[in-house]
Amino acid sequence: MRRLGAWRWLLVPLLVVPVGWLLFTGLGRDPRTIPSPLIGKPLPAIAGITLDGKAWDSASLAGKPALINVWASWCSPCVTEHPLLLDAARQHAGALQVVGVLYQDTADGAAAFLAQYGDGGWPDVDDASGRVAVSLGVTGPPETFFVDAAGIVRYRQVGPLTSETLAEQLRAIGVQQ
């Protein structure tokens, strides 16, 4: 019986040390920072039909910086960030292309959202098949991708944008204030 008691004390460090290490390394991370294999690489070819029934593809973004925002009408953080997107589109009209990608939602839900919170006039691609989201590696809305004029993805924001992040990343893709 005494031998079993000694083994028990040897098991404690074997269990506590790995669990402690996982907690220590994981607690210091920002949960919104999810690595993306797209950073520094060309935007994948994506295409779809917009909410107004027009064909759209990423080739139309060539030559100008772009912001691709993945959103849904049921997403409350999307409501929070929507005014920032509207302001950015207005302030940088002609210098910035904005594209919305509707994530796991209905066209009716999206139309109601845009009627209530404002339609920025940019194309909103209905991604009913989920292909665009998969191509971008989306985990859930909102997510925003900043693409420079050469078509290279420079930044991915998981979660709602802040005015500071928006301004910083727009500068990084060559959109001047």
Side-chain angles (χ1 to χ4, degrees):
M1 195 70 164
R2 284 186 177 172
R3 282 188 131 161
L4 183 60
W7 282 104
R8 184 176 33 184
W9 289 111
L10 289 174
L11 289 175
V12 169
L14 291 174
L15 296 173
V16 171
V17 170
V19 170
W21 180 77
L22 286 172
L23 287 174
F24 177 74
T25 58
L27 290 178
R29 295 185 183 160
D30 183 348
R32 293 172 295 170
T33 306
I34 299 173
S36 173
L38 297 178
I39 305 301
K41 296 185 178 152
L43 180 69
I46 53 178
I49 303 298
T50 62
L51 293 175
D52 59 0
K54 297 177 182 168
W56 179 89
D57 69 56
S58 55
S60 67
L61 300 175
K64 275 190 192 172
L67 182 153
I68 299 172
N69 179 254
V70 180
W71 65 283
S73 64
W74 47 262
C75 164
S76 60
C78 297
V79 173
T80 304
E81 77 174 3
H82 194 67
L84 293 174
L85 297 171
L86 292 170
D87 287 344
R90 260 191 304 267
Q91 283 182 343
H92 306 292
L96 175 67
Q97 300 177 86
V98 177
V99 177
V101 175
L102 189 60
Y103 180 81
Q104 296 183 354
D105 205 347
T106 64
D108 290 342
F113 179 98
L114 295 173
Q116 182 174 356
Y117 299 109
D119 187 343
W122 55 75
D124 284 295
V125 178
D126 186 356
D127 188 27
S129 70
R131 286 186 187 137
V132 173
V134 168
S135 295
L136 295 172
V138 171
T139 58
E143 286 191 29
T144 306
F145 297 84
F146 292 82
V147 183
D148 67 18
I152 305 299
V153 178
R154 294 298 173 189
Y155 185 76
R156 172 188 183 196
Q157 171 71 30
V158 176
L161 288 167
T162 64
S163 55
E164 295 81 15
T165 300
L166 180 61
E168 179 184 331
Q169 295 308 320
L170 288 177
R171 279 191 304 276
I173 62 171
V175 178
Q176 301 305 317
Q177 301 296 325

